Amino acid sequence: MRISGGRCAGAAAVVARCAALLFLVAQCVASSDSSTSGASTSGSARGKGYVSIPLQRSFNRNNNILVARRRARTRIEKSKEMMQLMPDVDFDDEGDRHGVEPDFGQVRLTDATDTYYYGVISVGSPSQNFTVTFDTGSANMWIPGVRCTSKACLQHNRYDHDLSSTYQPLNGPFAIQYGTGEVRGFTSQDTVRVGGITIKDQPFAETTSEDEVFELPDTEFDGLFGLAFKSLASGGLVPPMAKMIEEKLVDEPVFAFALSQGHRSFGELLLGGYNELHYRGDLRWMRVTRAKYWQVTMEGIWYGEGKFNLLSLSKDRDIASIPLDVVTASSVDAPPRDSWHKKQADEADERALRKARRKSKEGDDELDLEQKRTHPPVDKSPKLKKLVPSGSDAAAPETSAIMDTGTSFLLGDPNSIKLISRIIGADFRTGDMSCAHLGDLKSFWISLGGYKFEIAPEHYVYRDAEKRTCSSAWVPSYDSPFWVLGDSFLRAYYAVFDMRDKKVGLAPINMPLRHF
């Protein structure tokens, strides 16, 4: 058989190419092996034929504060306009939303009948999961322990430290009395994971007894995750947020709440920053007057267009004798029509005369504090209002309020609540009220830290769609030294808590129907 020289040459070329290819493969394998071994011993890869480019997650920033990434989906871009959820809204696609990977530091909050919110954390190694309410009104973390045999504990997930390889005993006694019930137990230490953040050696409490108020169906969550300042913590335990800051697990010592409205809807807690998508306009910052609770000054409450400060009006007076048309009047210049009106006018004149004499004598140019108490402050525009810093020589405010995500309602002094209940037609003791005239109710305005904030009827009135009943969120408190602004207030605003600068920022909430 005759073999063509050209064919032989072609075959030789193919063999040569194959040999070259095999050589290159061998070189690649060798290079890969050497680069793998070299990576552990040398930070430089120069002269080895490749450049290593490390990749890391990137976050957008605003004024050096972490801001959560904007999602690429269309529904997030469309969520910039405010969307109000009706109280009876329920979702039929919860599974789809649960399947989305949350951002770092993001905790999804489930709304339980508009009265409290809870999210998921895990404790121990391997992880044991628990639902907890994230509470700005307390500073301790506790979960039911496996040794707890109270009915409330048996109905919830219980922590077994014997199953955790990272558990460490602290063995200190633990007891906390809340406004609704008490828990007791002992202190422990273990790894805690929340929102993709791992906190090693986090101290907390395992409960051994819990009051019946924590039983189902009233309480769906297992435990509590305190977010107040360290000075409030019982037993000297370091709160989880303080631990994250100390260990530099978050970029900024900031966390923020977006509380949804609507049964089984979803809110958000963001640890380490705040989300620009969840509020409209600018944040209004208020100084914390005492770094224990998230406590700010409270200058007054007004109803609708009324010019009378309800706090001043209800102080040391017979509430039943105050005509409602006085409270709801849009002008304070109307002539007195009865003895009560005449008394008010005479007292106002006497106060003005005393003030004028004092100013004339002392040459004092201070602001007219009485006018500040009886008229809502005007918010001109500044994003960050400069307030008088709290200090040992600063005058204590007459009234204070705390922002408390662990409280469902609006708690205040009984006199003021009695007057508010009369205005909206609610029973002072039970809060029951008719649903027939909800359309006639107006907003209340609360002045905090020099800013005024609106609370609309849909936020201060609870509607039970099934029972077709309504009740007031204004509840009298007989033992609290300050007002407590719970979820009824915070649902209307995006709330940012800054632990380093000790301030709270509020802005009208922009909560989309489907933000996950």
Side-chain angles (χ1 to χ4, degrees):
M1 179 180 358
R2 183 177 180 183
I3 298 176
S4 168
R7 294 193 178 198
C8 290
V14 170
V15 172
R17 286 195 202 97
C18 292
L21 181 59
L22 290 173
F23 176 79
L24 288 175
V25 170
Q27 286 293 95
C28 289
V29 172
S31 175
S32 176
D33 293 340
S34 62
S35 64
T36 303
S37 60
S40 61
T41 58
S42 173
S44 174
R46 295 181 181 274
K48 293 190 177 182
Y50 64 90
V51 177
S52 176
I53 304 176
L55 301 179
Q56 63 183 13
R57 190 171 188 173
S58 175
F59 293 93
N60 294 327
R61 295 179 180 275
N62 179 28
N63 296 330
N64 199 33
I65 290 192
L66 176 68
V67 178
R69 285 185 304 142
R70 297 176 181 270
R71 295 193 177 275
R73 294 172 297 172
T74 304
R75 65 185 184 183
I76 293 302
E77 292 301 324
K78 291 181 179 179
S79 71
K80 294 179 181 178
E81 296 183 1
M82 181 64 176
M83 298 182 68
Q84 294 289 342
L85 300 181
M86 297 302 293
D88 56 349
V89 167
D90 204 351
F91 295 108
D92 24 350
D93 61 339
E94 291 181 15
D96 175 66
R97 198 151 37 278
H98 272 300
V100 179
E101 180 69 20
D103 285 331
F104 181 79
Q106 181 192 70
V107 183
R108 296 182 187 130
L109 304 178
T110 300
D111 178 5
T113 66
D114 284 348
T115 53
Y116 60 86
Y117 300 77
Y118 59 83
V120 178
I121 66 171
S122 65
V123 181
S125 303
S127 297
Q128 302 175 46
N129 292 337
F130 302 90
T131 57
V132 295
T133 181
F134 294 88
D135 183 13
T136 59
S138 64
N140 286 96
M141 172 187 157
W142 59 263
I143 52 177
V146 73
R147 291 162 181 76
C148 179
T149 57
S150 299
K151 184 177 180 181
C153 293
L154 296 176
Q155 292 176 337
H156 293 90
N157 297 320
R158 294 185 296 168
Y159 167 71
D160 189 347
H161 61 236
D162 291 333
L163 301 179
S164 175
S165 62
T166 49
Y167 161 76
Q168 297 180 45
L170 295 180
N171 297 326
F174 179 82
I176 288 187
Q177 176 68 51
Y178 296 99
T180 53
E182 183 185 38
V183 296
R184 291 182 174 274
F186 57 91
T187 57
S188 299
Q189 187 170 287
D190 207 335
T191 298
V192 175
R193 299 171 185 85
V194 54
I197 300 172
T198 300
I199 316 170
K200 296 180 179 179
D201 302 326
Q202 172 61 48
F204 61 95
E206 299 181 46
T207 62
T208 54
S209 67
E210 298 180 13
D211 282 351
E212 61 182 9
V213 71
F214 297 104
E215 297 175 6
L216 291 172
D218 294 332
T219 302
E220 295 180 14
F221 58 84
D222 302 319
L224 187 140
F225 192 98
L227 288 168
F229 290 93
K230 187 176 180 179
S231 57
L232 185 61
S234 176
L237 301 181
V238 180
M241 188 66 197
K243 182 80 169 175
M244 288 184 234
I245 295 170
E246 291 176 2
E247 301 290 336
K248 294 181 171 49
L249 301 178
V250 289
D251 280 11
E252 295 289 340
V254 175
F255 61 91
F257 278 92
L259 301 183
S260 58
Q261 182 166 351
H263 180 55
R264 296 302 177 212
S265 59
F266 292 91
E268 175 189 275
L269 164 63
L270 189 61
L271 302 168
Y274 59 89
N275 192 330
E276 287 181 321
L277 288 179
H278 288 330
Y279 66 89
R280 296 177 288 113
D282 295 326
L283 289 166
R284 298 174 180 178
W285 293 99
M286 298 159 285
R287 298 289 181 188
V288 172
T289 57
R290 185 184 179 193
K292 189 174 183 180
Y293 296 96
W294 291 98
Q295 180 176 337
V296 299
T297 60
M298 180 175 178
E299 293 80 25
I301 303 177
W302 295 263
Y303 178 70
E305 299 298 324
K307 299 300 181 182
F308 279 104
N309 185 341
L310 303 186
L311 294 186
S312 300
L313 202 60
S314 62
K315 189 168 292 185
D316 301 324
R317 299 190 187 280
D318 182 5
I319 302 302
S321 68
I322 302 178
L324 290 183
D325 60 344
V326 174
V327 179
T328 58
S330 59
S331 173
V332 295
D333 298 326
R337 296 187 295 274
D338 55 30
S339 59
W340 190 90
H341 287 79
K342 187 177 186 303
K343 183 180 179 182
Q344 304 308 304
D346 292 341
E347 289 182 356
D349 292 341
E350 181 64 26
R351 287 194 300 266
L353 182 60
R354 289 199 304 266
K355 190 175 292 294
R357 288 174 178 171
R358 185 174 68 251
K359 286 185 177 182
S360 175
K361 180 179 179 180
E362 301 175 359
D364 190 357
D365 295 327
E366 66 179 359
L367 293 175
D368 190 340
L369 297 181
E370 189 60 35
Q371 184 179 7
K372 287 182 64 179
R373 294 191 190 101
T374 56
H375 295 274
V378 178
D379 181 17
K380 295 290 184 178
S381 65
K383 180 177 181 180
L384 180 61
K385 185 172 182 180
K386 294 182 179 179
L387 303 175
V388 178
S390 59
S392 58
D393 57 346
E398 289 189 4
T399 308
S400 296
I402 67 170
M403 310 292 167
D404 186 0
T405 58
T407 296
S408 305
F409 308 109
L410 301 157
L411 278 60
D413 73 83
N415 268 0
S416 298
I417 299 298
K418 187 179 292 185
L419 180 56
I420 290 173
S421 298
R422 283 189 60 211
I423 292 173
I424 64 177
D427 185 289
F428 167 66
R429 292 175 178 80
T430 65
D432 295 338
M433 58 187 297
S434 172
C435 299
H437 304 291
L438 293 184
D440 300 328
L441 296 179
K442 300 178 181 178
S443 296
F444 283 91
W445 296 85
I446 297 184
S447 177
L448 302 170
Y451 293 106
K452 60 178 182 178
F453 299 93
E454 180 182 10
I455 308 180
E458 58 262 32
H459 291 125
Y460 68 76
V461 176
Y462 281 98
R463 299 174 60 186
D464 190 320
E466 294 181 0
K467 298 180 181 178
R468 297 185 178 180
T469 59
C470 293
S471 60
S472 169
W474 300 95
V475 178
S477 176
Y478 294 92
D479 54 1
S480 175
F482 36 66
W483 283 66
V484 180
L485 303 181
D487 298 338
S488 297
F489 173 76
L490 293 171
R491 267 193 298 273
Y493 294 94
Y494 189 68
V496 182
F497 300 82
D498 189 327
M499 301 198 81
R500 177 183 56 201
D501 296 337
K502 298 178 177 59
K503 61 184 181 180
V504 181
L506 297 177
I509 197 167
N510 179 33
M511 199 63 173
L513 182 63
R514 302 180 181 186
H515 62 286
F516 290 128

